[in-house]
Amino acid sequence: MSSPTRTRSTLFSLAVMVKSLDGAVQVLAALLLAAVPPAVISGIANAVVSRDLLGDHSGAIADDLTRAAEGGRTFAVVFLLLHGVVKLGLAYALHRRAVRVYPLACLLLSALVAYEAIRAVRTSSVGLAVFALLDTAVVVVVAREFWKSQQPTPPPVPAGPNPR
């Protein structure tokens, strides 16, 4: 296996592994978030962030974080669950090297990137911006792999004595 092919294969495998891990973490986070009462989440956000970073438990930032923890819970559970399940399914198909799924993977991940980017801008979410960057990198790797798989392979060089 040539060096560029090995590098491309390694990048592809790494991207699939990252998507698998990312998807699994998101599904687990969604299930945990659905199981934990909102008051506990608000309490943790308030105690950790306001005590350790901001100081005042009744400050404006602590109030904003508490409201976000309570109001955005349903969105977070649904987003994390759907996002995680889609990523796990796509990672499985990519791991199996089901080339016909690559365009679908790129399309779905591109839609997720667009949504993540819009939501990150609207909410100033660093986490969503990071997800968008990771997903963009995976789209590029998968698209390259698909493009390379569609290129005709050169005919084998016949073995034998050199005519010169």
Side-chain angles (χ1 to χ4, degrees), residues 33-156:
L33 189 57
V36 176
V40 173
I41 296 168
S42 297
I44 291 171
N46 194 3
V48 172
V49 175
S50 65
R51 182 193 70 224
D52 294 341
L53 300 177
L54 309 173
D56 185 11
H57 284 273
S58 60
I61 296 175
D63 288 342
D64 289 343
L65 288 171
T66 301
R67 275 195 304 279
E70 292 169 352
R73 182 170 184 228
T74 302
F75 165 78
V77 169
V78 171
F79 175 79
L80 288 171
L81 191 59
L82 287 175
H83 201 228
V85 167
V86 166
K87 285 183 180 181
L88 285 173
L90 292 175
Y92 176 76
L94 295 171
H95 174 71
R96 304 276 309 190
R97 300 265 183 188
V99 176
R100 68 184 185 283
V101 178
Y102 292 10
L104 176 63
C106 289
L107 182 68
L108 287 174
L109 285 175
S110 294
L112 287 171
V113 166
Y115 180 75
E116 289 164 343
I118 290 167
R119 183 91 178 167
V121 168
R122 286 185 180 167
T123 63
S124 301
S125 172
V126 174
L128 284 174
V130 169
F131 283 141
L133 288 173
L134 281 172
D135 289 341
T136 299
V138 171
V139 168
V140 168
V141 170
V142 172
R144 275 192 63 166
E145 190 71 16
F146 178 73
W147 184 77
K148 292 288 186 185
S149 75
Q150 300 304 303
Q151 301 302 311
T153 57

